[in-house]
Amino acid sequence: MTDLKLLALDTEDLEVISAHVQDAVVRVADMGYARGDRRFALLMNRFDWTSINGRRDKGLRKRAALHFDAVQSVATNGFDPAAPEGVLELLAITFQPIDGPAGIIELSFAGGGTVRLGVECLEARLSDLGAAWAATAKPAHALD
C-alpha cells in the first residue's frame, strides 16, 4: 500500500484530487487559513476508493493533508466555522476560472456546506500521511 501524493495545477488535475477525496471526513477544527502564507489547509480521513476488493469489502480510510496555495480570500457557508467539534463530509472540489489563472476553488460538503477560496492561480497538493485503518462502512450515495 503506497501513500498518495498528488499535485494539481489545472482543472483536470483537480478533478483527480477531488475523486480521491470524495467522502473524506473533515473536522472543522482541522481546517485553517494562514493569511501570511496565503495557504488554506485541511486534514482529513479520506476514503481510499482504490482499496476496495469486492462488493462486501468496506475499504480503508487514510489520514491525508490537502492544501491550496496563492489563496487571497476564504468564505464559508452552511456550517459554523467556529464549531471545533463539527464534522463535515467532503463531496467534491471544483475550480471556476475568473481572470486568467485566477479563480474560485469550491469545496462542497454534504448537507450544503461550502468553503470558497479566491486564488491567484490553481495550486493544490494532496498527501497521505501514512496512517490507514479499516473503514467501518463504505460510503453510499442516493442516485437521484
Side-chain angles (χ1 to χ4, degrees):
M1 169 173 35
T2 59
D3 288 341
L4 193 62
K5 294 191 185 313
L6 299 174
L7 170 67
L9 298 174
D10 60 30
T11 54
E12 289 180 7
D13 295 343
L14 189 62
E15 288 171 1
V16 172
I17 287 179
S18 180
H20 281 285
V21 299
Q22 180 180 0
D23 297 308
V25 178
V26 181
R27 287 183 51 235
V28 172
D30 289 339
M31 292 191 291
Y33 178 42
R35 187 177 312 272
D37 294 332
R38 300 178 348 146
R39 175 176 285 174
F40 182 84
L42 59 149
L43 295 172
M44 64 182 73
N45 296 334
R46 74 174 187 88
F47 187 81
D48 183 4
W49 286 100
T50 63
S51 69
I52 299 173
N53 294 318
R55 297 173 93 182
R56 296 182 191 264
D57 188 4
K58 294 179 182 175
L60 295 173
R61 289 239 176 230
K62 292 184 173 183
R63 192 70 170 153
L66 175 62
H67 76 263
F68 301 91
D69 291 321
V71 176
Q72 298 173 312
S73 64
V74 176
T76 61
N77 188 27
F79 68 94
D80 182 0
E85 295 305 316
V87 177
L88 303 169
E89 182 181 356
L90 183 56
L91 298 180
I93 305 171
T94 57
F95 177 72
Q96 292 178 321
I98 292 178
D99 184 22
I104 302 292
I105 296 171
E106 184 169 285
L107 290 79
S108 300
F109 297 95
T114 60
V115 173
R116 295 183 61 147
L117 309 174
V119 295
E120 279 183 15
C121 61
L122 175 55
E123 185 175 342
R125 294 177 193 273
L126 173 68
S127 299
D128 284 342
L129 301 177
W133 59 94
T136 57
K138 180 168 62 172
H141 302 276
L143 301 175
D144 294 336

